[in-house]
Structures are given as structure tokens and as C-alpha cells.
Amino acid sequence: MIDNDVDLLIAGSGGGGLATALFASSFGLKVMICEKSRYVGGTTAISGGSAWAIATVQEEQAGLQDSIETGRRYLDAMGEGHGSGEMQDAFLEAAPAAFAFLQHQTDVTFTAPRIHPDYYPHLPGTTTGGRNLGPDTLDGRRLGSLINLVRPPRPEFTGPFGMAVARSEISDLVRPWRSIRAFRLATRAVLGHAWALLFHRRAMRLLMGNALIGRLLLSLAARGVTPALETSVARLWVENGQIAGAVLRTKTGEKHVRARQGVVLATGGFAANADMRQSMLGSLQTDHFVTFEGAAGDGIVLARAVGAGLAGGSASAGLWMPASILRRQGKRDITFPHLRDRAKPGLIAVGSDGRRFVNEANSYHDVCLAMFRSKKHGETVEAHLICDHAFIREFGLGLIRPFWSRLRPFIASGYLAKGRTLAELARKIGVDPEGLQATVARHNADAVSGTDTEFAKGGSALNRLNGDERFKPNPCLAPIGKAPFYAVRVVPALLATARGLATDTEARVLDQNRRPIKGLYAVGNDMASVFDGHYPGPGATIGPAIAFAWRAACHAAKRDVATDRAAQNGIVRETEHHGL
Ligand SMILES: Cc1cc2nc3c(=O)[nH]c(=O)nc-3n(C[C@H](O)[C@H](O)[C@H](O)COP(=O)(O)OP(=O)(O)OC[C@H]3O[C@@H](n4cnc5c(N)ncnc54)[C@H](O)[C@@H]3O)c2cc1C
């Protein structure tokens, strides 16, 4: 018995799933979004929410120049000729149209930052800003009761009492007395949050991933679509050799939904599934992930059951983030992503020999790959971030907030190690004391001259963006000077998976013989990364998730992917179509 009949059935309500639903419903398709958990948003909701895209209208609005040709040059150089050419071309073609449509036709608006370099700023075709589109902040009141559906940010990413804090605001909020502007910003933020707690019992200023999911929800609601929560796609339903719908698992039992144009898998990849990590990550293994725990690989399992093939991840099957782990008695461990403290002046990362192995200010993905490379077979893949007391107070370290955090509980839990001397610290963390002392001596001499003679920390615009410009001559270097000294252990954790379902350029899932499985699409992390395990710039998973959501929706609705000016302004041509 068929319980429901739609055009497109979408499994998963993260960035990939909601964007597909928004595009498809805008094209007139009847869509249904199934979400397994009790919240909308998946990992996207707890992420930075930024989307890497090239030659967008948002870049144009910011007065920045970019072009598809420049972008292609950058991607070609990054992949050293091993990239997936036609998939990257499909991304380059679709992204400008998709982001123009969002900007002009929906509430899902973004702003391109003038300064935010790609992750390989030395390569041809790179830009120093503009490609990392940030979702505009959303006033939660616009969502009405829908706000309660949005997966809340992780508490460790918010300020006191759950206050939402943007990266650019942190230094002003921590030291409100340093300027009138800082004082005004801090006062407004604190009073606004207190007001929200009083009247709404939650933060009402949605930032980053929460803003992106909130904006997608808002735009979908305007088109009469809200996701079905606690409803998972349990089995795909095949009829006459094509996907005709799916069996859903709901609180009230199984439901059969026919999907005339197909099913879109957008369940977020497999980072949280231990068996799949083991079988799919190849030589770069980990037990750790910073995604939300529902990234269990459902989409891949569902598609494999109907003959789908896998692809991607030649450079790396995972996309990586250095993370520290706080063990808590009787509670779940916290795995914390080290996004920016690594670049700050006065911090180094060392291995068990006490030596540095990487430019700490490079991208999180590259720092982890260097961590893997620096280990001999069988050695635990880990590193230690080393700094002094002044550093922790100024910048914080991982879960330890700058300025006000009490250090004693972190030391007691084993998260933070403390030494009165570098040798004592080294012994406590199992690192070679002489190696560490020699490393710090060299680093300190380099900090004075301003040139990191080992790894050129602070040598690129990307490094300097996350440094601190008050430190001269190099914003990423300062001596590790006065005792006591501290260390936090970091491990490579998955922030996303790059290996996934093989698809064609329209996001149609391919079988083992590389033929499209009719009626089956994959987007987001369920689809093999178009960058093949490279990480070109900030937003490199959400950008393609949105670009291929656009392509999947265009294909299902028989629309042209349309990259001409009309499409950039959100006017989509009605006539052309691809045929299934
Ligand atoms: C801390 C952090 C910061 C990050 N910042 C960025 C960033 O700024 N830019 C960027 O590009 N990337 C970022 N990433 C990575 C990025 O968030 C993810 O790669 C991306 O959001 C994944 O989107 P998705 O749509 O594939 O999956 P998700 O957003 O995880 O959504 C998948 C949804 O599917 C649901 N689901 C699972 N199984 C089923 C089923 N059987 N049926 C129905 N529903 C199901 C899940 O419950 C979930 O809600 C970050 C990651 C982390 C952890």
C-alpha cells in the first residue's frame, strides 16, 4: 500500500538535503524530506556553515573579481592532474547559478568575505578572498516555532549561557574595555542574549551552520515544505529496474512513499560509523570524528543494497581536523576541533620526538595529513600543542577559553598537561625532553627574527589571517617564554568523509559498471567528494553539496543547469531538459 506519493523524496535534512528540496520545490516538484533524528540540520547545523564556490554573484556584490577559468586553474594545480575533471567542471558550472538563485530567489543569502584566502595560496588561480561564502546571520524570531526544529549548536562552540558568538566578535567580547566599539558590541550582544533567554528561553541569533539551516528551513516553509522528523529512509524500493520510492521507518511504523522522479540520498556520509571507517578510510585510520553522531553511513548502505559503486578519496578518504578530547566521568567525551588556536603566535605542535612536523597555521586538513605522514608504522597518530601561560590567557587553547577559564579542572581531567619547565612538561606527556627544549629554543629565536626557518609559519596570507596582527614582525610567531608551560594532545578527527557514492555530473548514483541507477541521486557527503580528498578552501564540502543539490534538482525537474546571466539572476529557463 502506498502511503504517500511525491516527485522527489529526500533522505536527510542537512545542507545537501534541504538545498535539494528547496531547489526542487522552487521548480514546482512535490518534495518530501525525511529526517532520521529529532532535529533538522545534521552536521551542517553545527558547522561553520560556509560554502566554497567560485565566480558567484556574492563575490561580485563584494566587489571581487573571480572567474570559472581562474577557479579551474586553481583546482587543476591542486589536484596535480589527478582531479576528477568532469565532476569539477560540473561544480564550476553549477555553483554560480545555484548561489545566484539562493541569493535572489530565497532567504538563503550569503556574504563573500573580502579577505579569506584559499587553502593553497601559493597555487595559480588562487584568490585572497571571496570564495568562502558565509551565510548571513538570521534573527531566529523570523522562524517562529520552526526554530525549535533546528539542531542547536554544540555548547562548547557557544559563549556563556549558550550565547552565539561570531569568530570576528571573540576578541571584542573577551576584552570589552579595549575600545568603545568593543564595549558597544559586547553590551549589545550580552543584553540581546539575556533578552532572548528571558522571552524565548534560547539564543535567537542564528550564526554559521545554524543560520544556513535556519534560512533553508525558512525558505522551504515559504514553499509549504517542512521536514518529517524522526522518519528515516530504511529501504529503497525498486520497480522495473529503477528506484520508485522508499520504505520509511517512522514512530508509527513503516510507510511506503512513491517518488516519481527519484530518491535523493543526503544522509551525511559515514564519519560516525566505526565499521565503515575501517573498511573505507584505507591507510588513514581514526577512531575520532567531529561530525554529529548521526553520520552513520545510511545513504551509502541503502545505495550499496541496490548495486551502487563507490568513488573518490584518492588523495584522502577522509577530510580532517586536529581535535583534542576531554574525557568526562559518566558523560560523553567532548571531541573539540582546533580551528584557529594553531595559527596564533606562541604555539607549536610537536610529535613524540619533541620536534615540529608541520606549519601549524596551515589548513586543518593539511595539518592532520602531516600528522599521519610523520608517524612510523604502528605509532599512535597524535601530536601535542605546546604553549606558555601567557598564550592560554590571551588566546585560550581548545576547550579552554581565553582570559577566564579555570585551568585546574582541565589539568585534573587530563585534558591539559602543565610543567614548571619544558623538560617536566615533556616527561608528563611522553615526549623527548631534549627534543622539545631544542625545538622551543629554535622556535623562540625565529620568533624574534620573524621568520620560521623550519616551516614558514606566518608565511602565507592564510596563516596571517588566523594569526594576531598585534604581534610583530610575524603575526603567527611569538616566543614560548615564561613558565609554566602547557600541552594539549590532538589527534586527527574526521570533519567529513570524501569517499562516497560514485555519481555522474547530475548527481545520479552510478552502479558498479558506472551506469546511472535510474531514480537515485546522492548529494553532500553521501556523494564522493568532487575534490577527491583534497581541501581547496574553507567551505569545501557545503559548496559542492549546494552545487550538486542544484544539479540533482535541475535533472529531476528536467531543467537546464543554466549558467547564463538569466540564471545568475535566478530566472531559470523552463524549456530545456536533460531527460532521465
Ligand atoms: C565543527 C565543524 C565545522 C565545519 N565547518 C564547515 C564549513 O564551514 N564549511 C564546510 O563546507 N564544511 C564544514 N564542515 C563539514 C560540513 O559540516 C559537512 O561536511 C556537511 O555539512 C555535511 O552536509 P550533509 O548534507 O552531507 O550532511 P548533514 O548535514 O550531516 O545532514 C545529514 C542528515 O541526514 C540525516 N540522516 C541520516 N540517516 C538518515 C536516514 N536513513 N534517513 C533520513 N535521514 C537520515 C541525519 O540525521 C542528518 O540530519 C564542518 C564540520 C564540522 C564538524
Side-chain angles (χ1 to χ4, degrees):
M1 193 190 79
I2 295 170
D3 299 286
N4 202 351
D5 203 324
V6 298
D7 292 318
L8 209 54
L9 176 67
I10 291 148
S13 71
L18 292 189
T20 313
L22 178 56
F23 294 137
S25 61
S26 303
F27 300 159
L29 297 191
K30 182 179 174 194
V31 302
M32 176 178 185
I33 309 163
C34 304
E35 168 51 51
K36 186 176 182 177
S37 73
R38 54 189 276 248
Y39 288 116
V40 169
T43 301
T44 311
I46 59 165
S47 77
S50 67
W52 194 76
I54 289 170
T56 59
V57 69
Q58 290 83 355
E59 284 183 276
E60 226 174 273
Q61 286 171 350
L64 297 164
Q65 291 213 329
D66 200 1
S67 70
I68 289 178
E69 289 66 39
T70 329
R72 186 175 289 119
R73 233 179 323 139
Y74 177 68
L75 290 175
D76 284 349
M78 183 189 70
E80 294 169 344
H82 300 297
S84 152
E86 64 167 5
M87 293 301 284
Q88 291 185 1
D89 280 350
F91 164 72
L92 289 168
E93 182 191 32
F99 283 95
F101 184 86
L102 292 175
Q103 197 80 1
H104 294 302
Q105 304 283 305
T106 76
D107 278 303
V108 189
T109 56
F110 293 85
T111 299
R114 295 187 62 79
I115 310 265
H116 207 311
D118 297 323
Y119 284 165
Y120 303 103
H122 58 286
L123 292 181
T126 190
T127 57
T128 50
R131 290 179 179 165
N132 166 33
L133 309 180
D136 293 332
T137 303
L138 177 66
D139 181 343
R141 286 174 300 186
R142 290 185 62 197
L143 280 167
S145 61
L146 285 177
I147 194 171
N148 298 317
L149 308 189
V150 180
R151 177 171 294 284
R154 285 166 47 167
E156 58 273 18
F157 294 167
T158 61
F161 305 103
M163 187 164 96
V165 179
R167 179 174 90 94
S168 56
E169 298 166 350
I170 295 173
S171 56
D172 286 343
L173 287 171
V174 172
R175 287 175 206 78
W177 54 84
R178 76 178 190 182
S179 69
I180 292 175
R181 192 185 58 85
F183 183 75
R184 276 211 200 108
L185 184 140
T187 315
R188 220 181 17 243
V190 170
L191 290 179
H193 186 60
W195 183 267
L197 288 184
L198 194 64
F199 290 99
H200 304 282
R201 296 177 182 276
R202 55 159 296 149
M204 292 303 279
R205 193 165 156 251
L206 272 56
L207 299 175
M208 301 187 284
N210 252 235
L212 175 56
I213 291 299
R215 287 183 171 279
L216 284 162
L217 259 188
L218 190 62
S219 302
L220 279 161
R223 289 156 177 81
V225 183
T226 41
L229 299 184
E230 297 181 90
T231 301
S232 59
V233 172
R235 281 192 310 281
L236 295 171
W237 159 22
V238 185
E239 220 173 67
N240 304 325
Q242 70 180 68
I243 304 301
V247 179
L248 310 185
R249 193 170 298 129
T250 75
K251 280 196 288 189
T252 54
E254 287 199 339
K255 298 256 177 330
H256 291 70
V257 177
R258 180 175 286 285
R260 287 180 289 271
Q261 303 303 332
V263 176
V264 182
L265 299 171
T267 71
F270 64 89
N273 182 318
D275 291 340
M276 289 176 85
R277 284 199 304 268
Q278 202 167 35
S279 63
M280 289 177 65
L281 284 181
S283 59
L284 306 186
Q285 286 291 327
T286 187
D287 293 331
H288 309 286
F289 56 92
V290 286
T291 65
F292 108 108
E293 61 286 356
D298 284 19
I300 294 172
V301 173
L302 288 163
R304 297 283 279 165
V306 296
L310 295 173
S314 310
S316 164
L319 302 173
W320 300 98
M321 174 70 76
S324 51
I325 298 160
L326 175 68
R327 311 251 178 236
R328 301 186 297 174
Q329 276 197 332
K331 287 188 184 168
R332 226 158 29 105
D333 295 347
I334 297 178
T335 306
F336 186 85
H338 285 251
L339 272 162
R340 298 185 210 286
D341 49 10
R342 295 171 287 110
K344 297 284 185 258
L347 177 143
I348 54 171
V350 299
S352 58
D353 55 4
R355 305 204 177 277
R356 291 172 68 206
F357 56 92
V358 72
N359 176 338
E360 296 85 352
N362 280 352
S363 89
Y364 31 85
H365 181 64
D366 287 339
V367 166
C368 287
L369 292 182
M371 218 188 286
F372 278 114
R373 275 197 304 270
S374 70
K375 296 295 158 188
K376 296 190 194 76
H377 185 68
E379 264 186 343
T380 308
V381 184
E382 61 179 20
H384 298 273
L385 304 182
I386 309 285
C387 66
D388 63 14
H389 191 76
F391 181 95
I392 288 209
R393 284 299 173 224
E394 185 66 33
F395 300 114
L397 182 60
L399 278 161
I400 303 163
R401 307 229 161 117
F403 197 62
W404 64 72
S405 271
R406 285 175 57 234
L407 301 186
R408 204 169 289 167
F410 290 104
I411 294 170
S413 70
Y415 180 79
L416 182 69
K418 177 179 177 182
R420 282 163 301 173
T421 62
L422 286 169
E424 184 185 73
L425 180 70
R427 276 191 291 275
K428 280 189 179 170
I429 59 176
V431 158
D432 175 37
E434 281 173 19
L436 182 62
Q437 282 167 321
T439 301
V440 171
R442 178 170 178 179
H443 167 265
N444 288 356
D446 285 352
V448 174
S449 72
T451 304
D452 174 8
T453 53
E454 270 194 292
F455 295 103
K457 188 180 180 194
S460 73
L462 170 67
N463 290 179
R464 289 190 293 275
L465 175 76
N466 293 318
D468 186 323
E469 62 194 14
R470 291 172 302 163
F471 287 71
K472 308 262 186 283
N474 183 331
C476 300
L477 291 185
I480 299 171
K482 262 173 80 179
F485 302 103
Y486 296 96
V488 160
R489 173 180 169 265
V490 288
V491 292
L494 288 168
L495 95 135
T497 40
R499 191 158 167 71
L501 295 169
T503 68
D504 69 2
T505 53
E506 310 320 309
R508 287 186 297 178
V509 176
L510 302 178
D511 67 15
Q512 314 270 358
N513 299 316
R514 295 290 188 257
R515 281 186 314 242
I517 298 174
K518 281 193 178 161
L520 190 61
Y521 301 88
V523 298
N525 285 337
D526 281 353
M527 173 184 163
S529 164
V530 59
F531 304 127
D532 206 28
H534 292 285
Y535 212 105
T541 70
I542 294 176
I546 289 175
F548 284 91
W550 172 262
R551 293 196 84 101
C554 285
H555 188 271
K558 302 182 177 60
R559 300 258 183 176
D560 185 35
V561 171
T563 51
D564 61 16
R565 265 337 280 181
Q568 293 224 0
N569 289 321
I571 304 153
V572 183
R573 282 179 297 194
E574 307 243 351
T575 46
E576 294 178 49
H577 66 86
H578 290 273
L580 287 172

